[in-house]
Amino acid sequence: MPIVAVTGATGAQGGATARALLDVGHQVRALTRRPDSPAAEALRALGAEVRHADFDDRASLDAALAGADSLFAVTTPFGTDISAEVRQGKALVDAAAAARLGHVVLTSAAHADRGTGVPHYESKHLVEQYLRAAGVPWTVIAPAAFMDNYASGWTLDGLREGTFAWPMPADRPLTLISAADIGAFAALVLRRRDEFTGRRIDIASDERTPGQIAEILTAAIGRPIAHQEVPLPYVRARSADLAVMFDYFTTVGLDVDVACLRHDHPDVGWHSFADWAAGQDWPALLSPVPARQ
C-alpha cells in the first residue's frame, strides 16, 4: 500500500485525514513538529508512522517525504502571519515536487479563489497557484466554515453564558463543515486520484443561519442558547483578518453546493450541523474554566 504523508497530522484537518486513511487500511506517515506530543502518540497507537517535519526546515521536509507516494498538505496563517503561510506553503510544494510525489492534495478555503480580500484566504490562494505551477499532480479541496470552531475559543465562552455570539445577522445563511468530513473527503480524493487530479472543489456539508445554529445548540446542549450578533468593530479590534472574513460572509455569502456534494459522494458520510452538535461532549466542554491563580 502506498505511503500517504499527512502534514498537520496532530491538528484538526490533518488528524481527521490521517484517521480516515488509517480506517481504510492506508499506510500513513504523520508529519508534525512535535512527534512526542500526545496527539502524535495517539496516531502511532492507530498505526501511523510519525515523522518530524518543520515547514521552515527544508531538510526535515525532504526527509519526511522521502519514499512517500502522495501528500495531504495543510498550511495555517494563525500563530504565524500571512507571509509566513505563503512562504511555508511554497516550501512544502517545492519539497513535494523534489520528492516526485504522485499526488498532492492541498486544503485551502472555500471561495479563496474568488478575490475575497480576506487576508488568510488570499494567502491560501497564492499557495494554490504555486502548487498548480509546480508540475506535480494536484487537487485543491476548499472547506467552508468549520463547525468545530463552535466548540472552542470565544464561541465556547459565550455558550457557557447561554449565548451564541457570532458576527453575523440571525437570518444570514452560512455553509459549514466538520473536520471529520474534511478528513473523509480528503481520504476519498487521495484514494481516487484519477477522478480528482487537476480539480479545485469547495466543500461543505450543511447550510444554516446563526439563528438556526442557536436552536440546534439549544437542543444539543439541553439549555437555552440565544444568538447574539457581535458587532464587527468588536471583532476588528481583535483581528482585522477575521473582521474582513465575517463581513464577506454577511455581504457576499459563503455558498457551496451542499446537495450536489452529498449526492455525488455519499460515502463521505457527511454530517449535518445537528449531527455534529449531537456528537459533542457538551457537559465537559461547558464545564467552568478554572480561575487563574
Side-chain angles (χ1 to χ4, degrees):
M1 183 72 73
I3 296 171
V4 181
V6 177
T7 64
T10 56
Q13 295 187 70
T17 301
R19 290 189 293 272
L21 288 165
L22 289 165
D23 284 346
V24 294
H26 271 273
Q27 289 191 68
V28 171
R29 182 179 294 169
L31 310 187
T32 175
R33 288 182 300 172
R34 294 184 56 211
D36 57 346
S37 67
E41 290 297 338
L43 289 173
R44 279 195 190 92
L46 293 174
E49 173 193 7
V50 178
R51 293 270 191 98
H52 172 261
D54 186 327
F55 290 171
D56 287 320
D57 179 355
R58 175 59 189 271
S60 76
L61 292 177
D62 289 339
L65 295 179
D69 173 72
S70 54
L71 169 69
F72 174 78
V74 58
T75 61
T76 176
F78 301 112
T80 55
D81 57 47
I82 302 304
S83 61
E85 179 176 28
V86 176
R87 183 186 71 251
Q88 292 174 351
K90 289 181 176 181
L92 182 59
V93 170
D94 287 342
R100 300 181 182 275
L101 297 187
H103 192 199
V104 175
V105 176
L106 173 69
T107 179
S108 179
H111 288 210
D113 60 338
R114 302 191 190 186
T116 63
V118 179
H120 73 276
Y121 283 29
E122 298 300 315
S123 59
K124 291 183 186 302
H125 188 226
L126 288 172
V127 178
E128 289 183 36
Q129 292 174 308
Y130 195 79
L131 174 62
R132 290 175 185 237
V136 295
W138 60 270
T139 304
V140 173
I141 64 172
F146 291 4
M147 296 178 187
D148 304 74
N149 287 344
Y150 299 154
S152 64
W154 48 269
T155 308
L156 186 59
D157 291 339
L159 294 180
R160 291 192 179 99
E161 304 298 323
T163 299
F164 173 55
W166 201 244
M168 290 178 63
D171 61 351
R172 189 68 170 100
L174 180 67
T175 48
L176 306 162
I177 191 166
S178 68
D181 289 350
I182 298 171
F185 190 78
L188 176 73
V189 171
L190 286 157
R191 296 198 311 270
R192 290 160 43 182
R193 70 176 63 175
D194 290 345
E195 178 182 343
F196 290 99
T197 294
R199 295 175 61 188
R200 186 192 190 282
I201 309 162
D202 285 348
I203 57 173
S205 55
D206 202 356
E207 183 177 51
R208 294 291 170 184
T209 66
Q212 291 171 331
I213 289 170
E215 292 173 359
I216 292 168
L217 290 172
T218 293
I221 293 170
R223 64 189 195 217
I225 301 294
H227 169 250
Q228 177 182 338
E229 184 175 355
V230 178
L232 276 182
Y234 181 89
V235 179
R236 191 172 295 113
R238 286 150 182 80
S239 171
D241 189 333
L242 292 181
V244 176
M245 181 185 74
F246 281 114
D247 183 59
Y248 182 85
F249 287 174
T250 299
T251 58
V252 179
L254 196 64
D255 64 296
V256 180
D257 194 340
V258 173
C260 182
L261 286 163
R262 285 179 171 272
H263 176 270
D264 291 349
H265 309 293
D267 41 343
V268 169
W270 306 99
H271 292 77
S272 68
F273 185 75
D275 295 333
W276 173 85
Q280 305 308 301
D281 185 355
W282 292 110
L285 288 167
L286 297 172
S287 60
V289 177
R292 292 182 179 178
Q293 299 298 320

